[in-house]
mmCIF file of all heavy atoms in Angstrom:
data_model
loop_
_atom_site.group_PDB
_atom_site.id
_atom_site.type_symbol
_atom_site.label_atom_id
_atom_site.label_comp_id
_atom_site.label_asym_id
_atom_site.label_seq_id
_atom_site.Cartn_x
_atom_site.Cartn_y
_atom_site.Cartn_z
ATOM 1 N N ASP D 593 8.752 -25.837 10.247
ATOM 2 C CA ASP D 593 9.207 -24.549 10.732
ATOM 3 C C ASP D 593 8.356 -24.085 11.920
ATOM 4 O O ASP D 593 7.298 -24.645 12.184
ATOM 5 C CB ASP D 593 9.183 -23.481 9.615
ATOM 6 C CG ASP D 593 10.278 -23.708 8.570
ATOM 7 O OD1 ASP D 593 11.387 -24.077 8.970
ATOM 8 O OD2 ASP D 593 10.006 -23.583 7.382
ATOM 9 N N SER D 594 8.788 -23.041 12.553
ATOM 10 C CA SER D 594 8.132 -22.560 13.775
ATOM 11 C C SER D 594 6.921 -21.716 13.436
ATOM 12 O O SER D 594 6.709 -21.274 12.296
ATOM 13 C CB SER D 594 9.127 -21.694 14.603
ATOM 14 O OG SER D 594 9.484 -20.547 13.875
ATOM 15 N N TYR D 595 6.115 -21.471 14.488
ATOM 16 C CA TYR D 595 4.963 -20.585 14.353
ATOM 17 C C TYR D 595 5.381 -19.176 13.968
ATOM 18 O O TYR D 595 4.718 -18.478 13.242
ATOM 19 C CB TYR D 595 4.134 -20.556 15.615
ATOM 20 C CG TYR D 595 3.306 -21.801 15.853
ATOM 21 C CD1 TYR D 595 3.529 -22.588 17.007
ATOM 22 C CD2 TYR D 595 2.312 -22.149 15.012
ATOM 23 C CE1 TYR D 595 2.774 -23.730 17.223
ATOM 24 C CE2 TYR D 595 1.534 -23.250 15.240
ATOM 25 C CZ TYR D 595 1.792 -24.045 16.374
ATOM 26 O OH TYR D 595 1.034 -25.191 16.582
ATOM 27 N N PHE D 596 6.540 -18.767 14.511
ATOM 28 C CA PHE D 596 7.082 -17.436 14.211
ATOM 29 C C PHE D 596 7.306 -17.321 12.681
ATOM 30 O O PHE D 596 6.885 -16.271 12.129
ATOM 31 C CB PHE D 596 8.362 -17.206 14.974
ATOM 32 C CG PHE D 596 9.002 -15.857 14.656
ATOM 33 C CD1 PHE D 596 8.542 -14.671 15.181
ATOM 34 C CD2 PHE D 596 10.100 -15.804 13.771
ATOM 35 C CE1 PHE D 596 9.102 -13.453 14.888
ATOM 36 C CE2 PHE D 596 10.714 -14.623 13.495
ATOM 37 C CZ PHE D 596 10.209 -13.423 14.022
ATOM 38 N N ARG D 597 7.932 -18.301 12.069
ATOM 39 C CA ARG D 597 8.177 -18.179 10.617
ATOM 40 C C ARG D 597 6.864 -18.221 9.849
ATOM 41 O O ARG D 597 6.714 -17.562 8.848
ATOM 42 C CB ARG D 597 9.085 -19.351 10.182
ATOM 43 C CG ARG D 597 9.582 -19.183 8.754
ATOM 44 C CD ARG D 597 10.681 -20.113 8.423
ATOM 45 N NE ARG D 597 11.249 -19.944 7.077
ATOM 46 C CZ ARG D 597 12.122 -19.044 6.752
ATOM 47 N NH1 ARG D 597 12.623 -18.268 7.718
ATOM 48 N NH2 ARG D 597 12.567 -18.917 5.526
ATOM 49 N N ALA D 598 5.938 -18.956 10.353
ATOM 50 C CA ALA D 598 4.603 -19.017 9.666
ATOM 51 C C ALA D 598 3.934 -17.606 9.704
ATOM 52 O O ALA D 598 3.401 -17.142 8.680
ATOM 53 C CB ALA D 598 3.673 -19.990 10.382
ATOM 54 N N LEU D 599 4.057 -16.933 10.853
ATOM 55 C CA LEU D 599 3.514 -15.575 10.925
ATOM 56 C C LEU D 599 4.274 -14.581 10.032
ATOM 57 O O LEU D 599 3.707 -13.659 9.482
ATOM 58 C CB LEU D 599 3.508 -15.082 12.389
ATOM 59 C CG LEU D 599 2.542 -15.816 13.342
ATOM 60 C CD1 LEU D 599 2.850 -15.396 14.775
ATOM 61 C CD2 LEU D 599 1.122 -15.537 12.945
ATOM 62 N N VAL D 600 5.594 -14.810 9.890
ATOM 63 C CA VAL D 600 6.375 -13.970 8.995
ATOM 64 C C VAL D 600 5.916 -14.152 7.561
ATOM 65 O O VAL D 600 5.778 -13.181 6.815
ATOM 66 C CB VAL D 600 7.884 -14.276 9.144
ATOM 67 C CG1 VAL D 600 8.673 -13.584 8.069
ATOM 68 C CG2 VAL D 600 8.386 -13.827 10.523
ATOM 69 N N VAL D 601 5.614 -15.384 7.194
ATOM 70 C CA VAL D 601 5.078 -15.680 5.844
ATOM 71 C C VAL D 601 3.752 -14.911 5.654
ATOM 72 O O VAL D 601 3.557 -14.281 4.596
ATOM 73 C CB VAL D 601 4.855 -17.203 5.632
ATOM 74 C CG1 VAL D 601 4.128 -17.459 4.349
ATOM 75 C CG2 VAL D 601 6.207 -17.940 5.631
ATOM 76 N N GLY D 602 2.842 -14.939 6.632
ATOM 77 C CA GLY D 602 1.649 -14.226 6.605
ATOM 78 C C GLY D 602 1.845 -12.727 6.482
ATOM 79 O O GLY D 602 1.107 -12.040 5.720
ATOM 80 N N LEU D 603 2.791 -12.208 7.205
ATOM 81 C CA LEU D 603 3.060 -10.791 7.172
ATOM 82 C C LEU D 603 3.585 -10.370 5.781
ATOM 83 O O LEU D 603 3.084 -9.361 5.254
ATOM 84 C CB LEU D 603 4.143 -10.441 8.215
ATOM 85 C CG LEU D 603 4.746 -9.025 8.145
ATOM 86 C CD1 LEU D 603 3.649 -7.986 8.340
ATOM 87 C CD2 LEU D 603 5.813 -8.837 9.199
ATOM 88 N N LEU D 604 4.490 -11.139 5.202
ATOM 89 C CA LEU D 604 5.001 -10.810 3.877
ATOM 90 C C LEU D 604 3.921 -10.863 2.820
ATOM 91 O O LEU D 604 3.865 -10.074 1.900
ATOM 92 C CB LEU D 604 6.111 -11.767 3.487
ATOM 93 C CG LEU D 604 7.420 -11.615 4.344
ATOM 94 C CD1 LEU D 604 8.440 -12.655 3.940
ATOM 95 C CD2 LEU D 604 7.986 -10.189 4.184
ATOM 96 N N ASN D 605 2.985 -11.872 2.947
ATOM 97 C CA ASN D 605 1.871 -11.954 2.036
ATOM 98 C C ASN D 605 0.954 -10.745 2.159
ATOM 99 O O ASN D 605 0.413 -10.196 1.135
ATOM 100 C CB ASN D 605 1.069 -13.218 2.262
ATOM 101 C CG ASN D 605 1.771 -14.453 1.742
ATOM 102 O OD1 ASN D 605 2.720 -14.387 0.995
ATOM 103 N ND2 ASN D 605 1.332 -15.630 2.217
ATOM 104 N N THR D 606 0.740 -10.287 3.374
ATOM 105 C CA THR D 606 -0.054 -9.068 3.619
ATOM 106 C C THR D 606 0.584 -7.892 3.013
ATOM 107 O O THR D 606 -0.077 -7.074 2.376
ATOM 108 C CB THR D 606 -0.285 -8.866 5.146
ATOM 109 O OG1 THR D 606 -1.062 -9.971 5.664
ATOM 110 C CG2 THR D 606 -1.006 -7.585 5.432
ATOM 111 N N LEU D 607 1.908 -7.703 3.224
ATOM 112 C CA LEU D 607 2.595 -6.559 2.666
ATOM 113 C C LEU D 607 2.629 -6.606 1.148
ATOM 114 O O LEU D 607 2.493 -5.537 0.511
ATOM 115 C CB LEU D 607 4.068 -6.528 3.173
ATOM 116 C CG LEU D 607 4.231 -6.294 4.696
ATOM 117 C CD1 LEU D 607 5.680 -6.389 5.063
ATOM 118 C CD2 LEU D 607 3.667 -4.919 5.059
ATOM 119 N N ALA D 608 2.697 -7.803 0.570
ATOM 120 C CA ALA D 608 2.698 -7.953 -0.873
ATOM 121 C C ALA D 608 1.389 -7.472 -1.499
ATOM 122 O O ALA D 608 1.360 -6.669 -2.432
ATOM 123 C CB ALA D 608 3.013 -9.366 -1.293
ATOM 124 N N VAL D 609 0.249 -7.982 -0.977
ATOM 125 C CA VAL D 609 -1.041 -7.618 -1.541
ATOM 126 C C VAL D 609 -1.361 -6.171 -1.241
ATOM 127 O O VAL D 609 -1.979 -5.491 -2.077
ATOM 128 C CB VAL D 609 -2.115 -8.589 -1.049
ATOM 129 C CG1 VAL D 609 -2.535 -8.346 0.405
ATOM 130 C CG2 VAL D 609 -3.345 -8.512 -1.938
ATOM 131 N N SER D 610 -0.936 -5.672 -0.108
ATOM 132 C CA SER D 610 -1.207 -4.254 0.246
ATOM 133 C C SER D 610 -0.371 -3.335 -0.640
ATOM 134 O O SER D 610 -0.869 -2.348 -1.113
ATOM 135 C CB SER D 610 -0.878 -4.005 1.716
ATOM 136 O OG SER D 610 -1.663 -4.804 2.570
ATOM 137 N N GLY D 611 0.952 -3.650 -0.818
ATOM 138 C CA GLY D 611 1.792 -2.805 -1.660
ATOM 139 C C GLY D 611 1.364 -2.711 -3.093
ATOM 140 O O GLY D 611 1.215 -1.640 -3.703
ATOM 141 N N VAL D 612 1.050 -3.926 -3.683
ATOM 142 C CA VAL D 612 0.563 -3.913 -5.095
ATOM 143 C C VAL D 612 -0.782 -3.289 -5.198
ATOM 144 O O VAL D 612 -1.081 -2.575 -6.122
ATOM 145 C CB VAL D 612 0.509 -5.392 -5.584
ATOM 146 C CG1 VAL D 612 -0.053 -5.424 -7.012
ATOM 147 C CG2 VAL D 612 1.905 -6.019 -5.570
ATOM 148 N N GLY D 613 -1.610 -3.498 -4.138
ATOM 149 C CA GLY D 613 -2.935 -2.874 -4.151
ATOM 150 C C GLY D 613 -2.879 -1.359 -4.134
ATOM 151 O O GLY D 613 -3.697 -0.687 -4.770
ATOM 152 N N ILE D 614 -1.970 -0.787 -3.352
ATOM 153 C CA ILE D 614 -1.805 0.657 -3.300
ATOM 154 C C ILE D 614 -1.408 1.180 -4.670
ATOM 155 O O ILE D 614 -1.945 2.227 -5.089
ATOM 156 C CB ILE D 614 -0.773 1.024 -2.228
ATOM 157 C CG1 ILE D 614 -1.407 0.840 -0.816
ATOM 158 C CG2 ILE D 614 -0.290 2.471 -2.399
ATOM 159 C CD1 ILE D 614 -0.441 1.018 0.305
ATOM 160 N N ILE D 615 -0.495 0.503 -5.330
ATOM 161 C CA ILE D 615 -0.051 0.941 -6.649
ATOM 162 C C ILE D 615 -1.218 0.873 -7.637
ATOM 163 O O ILE D 615 -1.474 1.846 -8.380
ATOM 164 C CB ILE D 615 1.116 0.064 -7.171
ATOM 165 C CG1 ILE D 615 2.335 0.282 -6.263
ATOM 166 C CG2 ILE D 615 1.450 0.387 -8.599
ATOM 167 C CD1 ILE D 615 3.436 -0.672 -6.575
ATOM 168 N N VAL D 616 -1.949 -0.228 -7.669
ATOM 169 C CA VAL D 616 -3.094 -0.392 -8.615
ATOM 170 C C VAL D 616 -4.179 0.636 -8.290
ATOM 171 O O VAL D 616 -4.740 1.261 -9.221
ATOM 172 C CB VAL D 616 -3.642 -1.806 -8.540
ATOM 173 C CG1 VAL D 616 -4.898 -1.948 -9.409
ATOM 174 C CG2 VAL D 616 -2.615 -2.819 -9.038
#
Side-chain angles (χ1 to χ4, degrees):
D593 288 321
S594 64
Y595 285 118
F596 176 78
R597 191 168 182 84
L599 291 171
V600 171
V601 171
L603 171 61
L604 293 177
N605 287 344
T606 294
L607 293 176
V609 74
S610 299
V612 177
I614 286 174
I615 295 172
V616 174

